[in-house]
Amino acid sequence: MSNLAKPAVHVQPQTRHLASGLVAEGKLVQAVKLVRGATGLDLRSAKEYVDTLKLEYLARGVPPEVEAAALDLIAKGEPGEAAKVVRRRTHLGSRDAKLYVEAMRAGYGRGRSLSDRVRAFTAVEDYASAIAVVQDETGMTREEAERFVTSLD
């Protein structure tokens, strides 16, 4: 993945859920096809979106204490050591551990609240994705999610 910034795209919660399931099963190509078919995105954009889902999946498999140790090493300028710690203390392989550490360096992590993630979308005026993530993570209706997003401005 060349860029860890989430692509500005609106993906319906059901599509996101199905694609996340495919990612969890290791079926990345099928997830990309699903996202492309549901959104009309080009191949690169759909792959970038699926890559962000993969990061979210990887993050769920890293215990908080391992994430804290990795973040400490990253802060000390030792991302290679951070990847080794993640690899040794989780089920992740070398490539996924490096991807996870790269994501942590870019600001992903369980320490970011839903409000923080929504603000990141609205900062680049991607209100559709902000609303979609609120709907997906909370089960709110579109109208409720819109009110939530608007209230953060």
Side-chain angles (χ1 to χ4, degrees):
M1 182 167 65
S2 61
N3 183 349
L4 290 174
K6 287 189 178 187
V9 60
H10 174 67
V11 177
Q12 293 291 331
Q14 181 180 9
T15 301
R16 178 183 166 83
H17 178 74
L18 292 172
S20 293
L22 290 169
V23 168
E25 294 173 18
K27 298 178 179 178
L28 301 179
V29 172
Q30 291 92 329
V32 170
K33 287 180 181 178
L34 172 71
V35 170
R36 284 190 77 194
T39 64
L41 287 173
D42 61 81
L43 179 60
R44 181 178 181 179
S45 297
K47 183 182 180 318
E48 288 175 354
Y49 181 81
V50 169
D51 285 344
T52 63
L53 295 178
K54 183 176 180 180
L55 288 174
E56 292 171 7
Y57 173 74
L58 293 176
R60 287 192 297 267
V62 178
E65 63 275 7
V66 175
E67 181 176 295
L71 287 171
D72 185 50
L73 288 166
I74 290 167
K76 293 177 182 174
E78 300 178 29
E81 286 302 312
K84 288 178 186 176
V85 167
V86 170
R87 190 184 75 243
R88 282 193 303 262
R89 296 177 60 189
T90 68
H91 68 283
L92 299 181
S94 180
R95 184 176 184 182
D96 284 343
K98 287 178 184 176
L99 178 63
Y100 176 79
V101 168
E102 184 180 335
M104 292 299 98
R105 291 178 74 190
Y108 286 80
R110 77 176 41 72
R112 294 187 68 198
S113 68
L114 175 60
S115 298
D116 290 339
R117 288 179 279 127
V118 167
R119 284 185 182 104
F121 280 121
T122 60
V124 294
E125 299 183 7
D126 184 6
Y127 296 97
S129 292
I131 292 165
V133 76
V134 171
Q135 284 184 278
D136 186 50
E137 293 188 22
T138 66
M140 289 182 186
T141 65
R142 179 166 181 82
E143 183 178 294
E144 292 167 332
E146 287 173 352
R147 282 197 307 264
F148 177 84
V149 169
T150 302
S151 73
L152 294 177
D153 289 341

